[in-house]
Amino acid sequence: MNNAYFQIMLPKNEPVKSYMPGSPERAALEAELQRQLANPIEIPLVIGGKEVRTETKAKMICPHDHGKVLGEYYVAGEKELLMAIEAAEAAKKEWENMPWEHRATIFLKAADLLTGKYRAKVAASCMLVQSKNPYQSEIDVICELADFLRFNPYYVQEIYKQQPYNTDGVWNRVEYRPLDGFVAAISPFNFTSIGGNLPTAPAMIGNTVLWKPASTAVLSNYYIMQILVEAGLPAGVINFVPSRGVDFGNVVISHSNMAGVHFTGSTAVFNGIWKQVGENINKYASYPRLVGETGGKDFIFAHESADVEALVCAMILGAFEYQGQKCSAASRAYIPESLWEKVKSRLEEEIAKIKMGDVCDFTNLMNAVIDQASFKNIQGYLDYAKNSKDAEIIIGGKCDDSIGYFVEPTVILAKTPAFKTMVEEIFGPVLTVYVYPNDELEEALKQCDTATSYGLTGAVFAQDRAAVIKLAKALDHAAGNFYINDKPTGAVVGQQPFGGSRGSGTNDKAGSAINLYRWMSQRAIKETLVPRTVVNYPYMVKE
């Protein structure tokens, strides 16, 4: 009998391993990379705890070597998506009634499996199918995902503790129920940790989920699904259904029992989901919760007092790590005229040292962009800049897709702060710089704040404390994650809750309790200990 209060202690962030030559983690990772390259696999759907295969399959390739096939995965159609909805609904009652500490234990165990026996396997899959170097894979699919799986149960516990005030003779309490229906989780290619978090965060509350992973990240996402199953996740709680976006939208998003969408991806796709929900609003059993982290056009703004070496380091790492394919990646920079020549010289020197190539070569800082569509999109922006009188490519700019989808780290110098690549999201290793006159600081700040529709991340660099205050205030709403003298990437669960507003999403802060509130439906309970039995009120008596 449950007669005790169970306590999850505040977790610590998973330590990042170094993968130095001679280290055991490096040896294990190198061996696993070769094993996966030599052994293509076939990935089924997972619906109601059962493997399901369809008539449609798609290939998984290495972006840095598109001739290498890592395997194939089955694609869900309308029939399988309806099966997944039925499985989620069938699992709902038992799952939401499971004592919360037992639900929590499943995810805590999954974190230990991930950081233990599955570490090399999942990290290698992320490197190969999403073209990440060892460090980028480690901080993503291992450390950040483990942090989500450990911190979120702690946050759930802390939310459950929150109870209302009582008066004499009354006991007030609040129950935190899951949503009335199932949740649709739609995850992106660029972070496997997000792929793991989008379905598990709602599930921790007692929701059941349909998880649509990105087509270019199915391999690593499938291994996360396997870990959850091994950790004890009951059948039907999370259903793994790679599928076409149009099918998922028509069947899942439009279903009457769809209670919420947990999304990370492009602003255009999220806008489409929001529109589809609006068009179907009369058929839903409840108003769906829409939680989205979308695009970004993230900035670095330098004051004349900035430390040039720190600024240049942040510009390079912020813009070019993981080929600029982070929604937080620095893609526009505002540099004062007095610093520009030194900044430009140092950018040229440091970018010239960057190696780019296969993920199996651990000396490469950069690898390939995710697929041909992304490659062509980035190439289009570079061609536009090359042919424009309002900009100049001063570093990089070359593209080569003969072996893999490689784009050089590129710096564009824009003559106007409204230039196309200063405004539009590119999602590649392209940083556009606008040099502003020192005496036009206020105008440059205004341009930074208003030039784009986004509001995700941004950074300011200044040694002058008064300038830091001025810049931070001017850019108050320009970024949901704001950095001072640091690059605008690398948010850590439990330290910097992540998300932005404006065109960058609903700012429901992954990595914090705020996000988990969105998957709960409160029931307030008032219990009167000694009920009233007199109808009339005291004031009703005659004098």
Side-chain angles (χ1 to χ4, degrees), residues 301-304 335-338 434-445 470:
F301 195 103
H303 182 258
E304 62 184 349
I335 309 298
E337 202 169 40
S338 59
Y434 173 69
V435 179
Y436 68 90
N438 286 46
D439 60 358
E440 295 182 12
L441 173 63
E442 285 77 9
E443 179 60 27
L445 285 168
K470 181 183 181 73

Side-chain angles (χ1 to χ4, degrees), residues 194-216:
I194 298 175
N197 183 54
L198 294 192
T200 58
M204 290 178 191
I205 315 301
N207 293 286
T208 53
V209 184
L210 270 68
W211 175 16
K212 179 196 174 303
S215 60
T216 44

